[in-house]
Amino acid sequence: MTPRHDPCFPGGTPEDTGSRSYEPVRVGRISYMNVAPVYYGLNNGQKPDWMAMTCAPPAALNAMMAAGELDVSPVSSAAYARHQDKWLILPDLSIACFGPVMSVLLVSRHPFAGLAGRKVVLTRESATAAALTRYLLASDGIRPCLTVGRVRRADDLPDDTGAALVIGDAALREPWAARFDHVWDLGAMWRERTGLPFVFALWVVRKSFAEAHPDRVSAVLHQFYRSRSAGAGHLSRILPEAADRLGISPEMCRRYYHRLRYTLDSAQMAGLSAFFRGLYAERIISRPVGLSLFRDPGLQDAPGHERPIASACRRS
Amino acid sequence: MTPRHDPCFPGGTPEDTGSRSYEPVRVGRISYMNVAPVYYGLNNGQKPDWMAMTCAPPAALNAMMAAGELDVSPVSSAAYARHQDKWLILPDLSIACFGPVMSVLLVSRHPFAGLAGRKVVLTRESATAAALTRYLLASDGIRPCLTVGRVRRADDLPDDTGAALVIGDAALREPWAARFDHVWDLGAMWRERTGLPFVFALWVVRKSFAEAHPDRVSAVLHQFYRSRSAGAGHLSRILPEAADRLGISPEMCRRYYHRLRYTLDSAQMAGLSAFFRGLYAERIISRPVGLSLFRDPGLQDAPGHERPIASACRRS
């Protein structure tokens, strides 16, 4: 076995770089269990010394990215829409679902169309789920009275509440269906309407950092892909801890993780575009949103058919 | 931008290694379009000089791996069952489906149960699909008269053929439903019976190579994860070429790729185990099959709860 080197530090380990001794790359990590598979490898021996990890709730990571306190982080899709000029999307990483997601619910005392004019409480914990709720209502022409508040338990909601958006642990743990006539899974509603996946969070890099250090961003990407692959192979180790922290049964926890997707393929990109277009069309956001991706410097452009895939298939 | 180094060669680029100048790692690539997304990055600028790629049909890659002519390659699941003592499975890589796969069909002139005693022709092109067909029949207690032959077009099949297994391009391209009363998608049948994904191919490494060069195998893994992620982000570039080569419409090709999975998560591992158990129970294979995974040297063991995930969530 060769001496221990870090295979993902461009130009070798810090000791090798001589005058090029970099600051660590500052990387965010969502402090919720839903992201555990992506960080599994990084949390279990794969984190190189040149990655400095900060663990915080999603809203805090959004703010730290906006303040330039992190270089790379998951952010909510709604935060990307606000800061698209400063951030680039990292390829093939997201928190997404295709159909029911289990942890983003609209619980209601009335049929969907009956929410017009009624009070709908949006949890303050998620900007993206709140924007999705507003879009689903607005695109059906339903204009409720929207408020923001605390939605953790059914008892949190006053009697005049028509419906409430509940996310995360509270959505998974509380028996909402026992207390409300209608419980809609917003991942399922989105798929029914669009046929597309829904993307709750993206990994982004600050544009200025990516321009200065494309090879370092590429090395971070390597680390995330390998870490996520390690997580996919060790879900059975993640589940007991996750079930315990979420306070749900291991079986429900298993179903939950099988709902989540951490990739960002073309269907998910289409879902993201459709979401941003819908938000702009309903004037929930004030500007159209473009999807600007970080271009991995190791990946050449292959425009059109100039370099057909078939020709790459040869002995070398 | 830093000088160009290869971030995935352990210990630096070959020029840096002084006395440790390795032979290239010999890596296999299936010459079919179904695997194009996994190799997309490697085919488009990401392939380092120390990976030597050999492109061949699946059966040839199985044979080359068995002969020690390749170090790392995709192999059919059936081939892994035969060579489990010599190979280790690479984590999180496979060719799999969960439900219909479109390209593995049993076409029949009779209802499923009516195949007892009738001639069923298995294409010689796929050992795994043939084993799956035999298992699905045997576990229902149906004993047909199995033969092996050419199954490319409906006209290939003599009148005394009760059913035939057809795979790959021929399954996608020919209008089988127009010529046969029954067309079963074996990916869908497998999911209906087991609730599990089906894994057609695995990436493996020769045990002796992995023991001698664990860091090099880890570097190959990095390359595959990054290459697959690039493919996921560029499916729109893969589709026209693939549709053209397969001779199907771009829309059908898009649906086909959305059916395929290239990961190997715990559900897929469970599907693989169930398949091997089934083959052994029906005496289609003569030995039980264990799943031996390559252990990434960068990934520490995390047995039980000794290193809870939560504790890894801190500022560093």
Side-chain angles (χ1 to χ4, degrees):
Chain A
M1 185 159 161
T2 59
R4 180 71 198 214
H5 282 259
D6 191 317
C8 264
F9 193 89
T13 52
E15 295 74 25
D16 298 338
T17 57
S19 57
R20 283 184 297 104
S21 68
Y22 288 123
E23 293 292 305
V25 183
R26 300 166 302 169
V27 177
R29 183 206 193 285
I30 297 174
S31 57
Y32 295 167
M33 290 309 292
N34 64 0
V35 83
V38 179
Y39 289 85
Y40 182 83
L42 290 166
N43 286 347
N44 288 282
Q46 283 182 353
K47 192 184 81 56
D49 292 338
W50 51 263
M51 280 176 74
M53 206 79 84
T54 297
C55 197
L61 295 177
N62 297 342
M64 290 177 75
M65 276 299 295
E69 294 167 9
L70 292 171
D71 303 314
V72 170
S73 184
V75 296
S76 71
S77 301
Y80 174 78
R82 280 195 301 276
H83 299 286
Q84 55 170 316
D85 298 333
K86 292 200 297 182
W87 299 344
L88 297 175
I89 297 169
L90 291 187
D92 204 29
L93 287 167
S94 84
I95 304 175
C97 65
F98 185 45
V101 66
M102 295 172 64
S103 63
V104 180
L105 305 177
L106 187 67
V107 302
S108 176
R109 298 189 166 115
H110 309 277
F112 200 69
L115 291 174
R118 295 193 197 271
K119 186 167 142 188
V120 173
V121 184
L122 303 175
T123 173
R124 61 177 88 250
E125 290 177 43
S126 161
T128 301
L132 175 57
T133 307
R134 292 174 64 190
Y135 168 72
L136 292 170
L137 289 161
S139 63
D140 270 11
I142 301 164
R143 305 284 163 193
C145 171
L146 294 163
T147 65
V148 173
R150 177 187 166 87
V151 187
R152 299 290 298 174
R153 307 164 56 90
D155 296 338
D156 290 343
L157 300 170
D159 289 342
D160 67 341
T161 305
L165 170 65
V166 52
I167 70 157
D169 302 8
L172 292 167
R173 197 155 33 194
E174 295 282 310
W176 297 100
R179 301 285 294 273
F180 288 84
D181 290 339
H182 308 274
V183 176
W184 297 291
D185 185 303
L186 296 196
M189 283 185 86
W190 176 260
R191 183 169 77 172
E192 278 161 27
R193 293 211 187 177
T194 64
L196 292 168
F198 189 80
V199 177
F200 290 95
L202 296 161
W203 268 253
V204 298
V205 58
R206 287 189 302 110
K207 242 180 213 176
S208 58
F209 185 84
E211 280 158 12
H213 306 290
D215 286 359
R216 302 194 82 196
V217 181
S218 180
V220 170
L221 268 182
H222 268 258
Q223 294 290 348
F224 271 114
Y225 297 153
R226 194 167 72 139
S227 178
R228 174 180 63 190
S229 287
H234 292 86
L235 199 58
S236 58
R237 288 186 184 166
I238 295 170
L239 281 176
E241 164 90 11
D244 194 49
R245 283 191 64 191
L246 294 171
I248 59 178
S249 73
E251 171 54 23
M252 185 172 179
C253 192
R254 195 188 59 78
R255 278 193 290 129
Y256 178 49
Y257 276 111
H258 281 162
R259 292 295 183 189
L260 294 173
R261 298 283 176 273
Y262 303 107
T263 52
L264 183 58
D265 64 14
S266 53
Q268 290 158 328
M269 289 286 276
L272 197 58
S273 287
F275 179 51
F276 289 146
R277 276 198 309 275
L279 293 182
Y280 180 66
E282 299 297 339
R283 293 288 180 267
I284 296 166
I285 56 175
S286 56
R287 283 191 308 160
V289 182
L291 302 184
S292 303
L293 272 137
F294 169 73
R295 278 187 43 190
D296 191 334
L299 186 66
Q300 292 167 11
D301 250 346
H305 282 212
E306 286 168 33
R307 187 193 169 100
I309 295 151
S311 74
C313 188
R314 62 181 186 273
R315 278 171 190 263
S316 64
Chain B
M1 186 158 160
T2 58
R4 181 70 197 217
H5 281 260
D6 190 319
C8 263
F9 193 89
T13 52
E15 295 75 25
D16 299 339
T17 56
S19 59
R20 282 185 297 104
S21 68
Y22 287 124
E23 293 292 304
V25 185
R26 300 166 302 168
V27 177
R29 183 205 193 288
I30 297 174
S31 58
Y32 296 167
M33 291 308 293
N34 64 1
V35 83
V38 179
Y39 288 84
Y40 182 82
L42 289 166
N43 286 346
N44 287 281
Q46 285 182 354
K47 191 184 83 53
D49 292 339
W50 52 264
M51 280 176 73
M53 207 79 85
T54 296
C55 197
L61 295 177
N62 297 341
M64 290 177 76
M65 276 298 295
E69 294 167 10
L70 292 171
D71 303 313
V72 171
S73 184
V75 296
S76 72
S77 301
Y80 174 78
R82 280 196 300 277
H83 299 285
Q84 55 171 316
D85 298 333
K86 294 200 296 181
W87 298 344
L88 296 175
I89 298 169
L90 291 187
D92 203 29
L93 285 167
S94 84
I95 304 176
C97 65
F98 184 45
V101 66
M102 296 172 65
S103 62
V104 181
L105 304 176
L106 187 66
V107 302
S108 176
R109 297 190 168 114
H110 309 276
F112 199 70
L115 290 174
R118 294 192 198 271
K119 185 168 144 189
V120 172
V121 183
L122 303 174
T123 172
R124 60 177 89 250
E125 290 177 43
S126 161
T128 300
L132 174 58
T133 306
R134 292 175 63 190
Y135 169 72
L136 292 171
L137 289 161
S139 64
D140 270 11
I142 301 163
R143 306 283 163 192
C145 171
L146 293 164
T147 65
V148 173
R150 177 187 167 88
V151 187
R152 300 289 298 173
R153 309 163 57 89
D155 296 338
D156 290 343
L157 300 170
D159 287 344
D160 65 341
T161 305
L165 169 65
V166 51
I167 70 156
D169 303 6
L172 292 167
R173 197 156 33 194
E174 295 281 309
W176 297 99
R179 301 283 295 273
F180 288 84
D181 289 340
H182 308 275
V183 176
W184 297 291
D185 185 303
L186 296 196
M189 282 186 88
W190 176 260
R191 183 169 78 173
E192 276 160 29
R193 293 212 187 176
T194 65
L196 292 168
F198 189 81
V199 176
F200 290 94
L202 295 162
W203 268 251
V204 299
V205 59
R206 286 189 301 113
K207 243 180 212 177
S208 57
F209 186 85
E211 279 158 13
H213 306 290
D215 287 359
R216 303 194 82 197
V217 181
S218 180
V220 171
L221 268 183
H222 267 259
Q223 293 292 346
F224 271 115
Y225 297 154
R226 195 167 71 139
S227 179
R228 175 180 64 191
S229 288
H234 293 86
L235 199 58
S236 59
R237 287 186 184 167
I238 295 169
L239 282 176
E241 165 90 10
D244 194 48
R245 282 191 64 190
L246 294 171
I248 60 178
S249 72
E251 171 55 23
M252 185 171 179
C253 191
R254 195 188 60 76
R255 278 194 290 128
Y256 178 50
Y257 275 111
H258 282 162
R259 291 294 181 190
L260 294 173
R261 299 282 175 273
Y262 302 108
T263 52
L264 183 60
D265 64 14
S266 53
Q268 289 158 329
M269 289 285 275
L272 197 58
S273 287
F275 179 51
F276 289 146
R277 276 200 310 277
L279 293 183
Y280 180 65
E282 299 295 340
R283 291 290 179 268
I284 297 165
I285 57 176
S286 58
R287 283 191 308 160
V289 183
L291 302 183
S292 304
L293 273 137
F294 168 73
R295 278 189 41 192
D296 192 334
L299 187 66
Q300 292 166 12
D301 250 347
H305 282 210
E306 285 167 34
R307 186 194 168 101
I309 295 149
S311 73
C313 188
R314 61 180 185 274
R315 279 170 191 264
S316 63

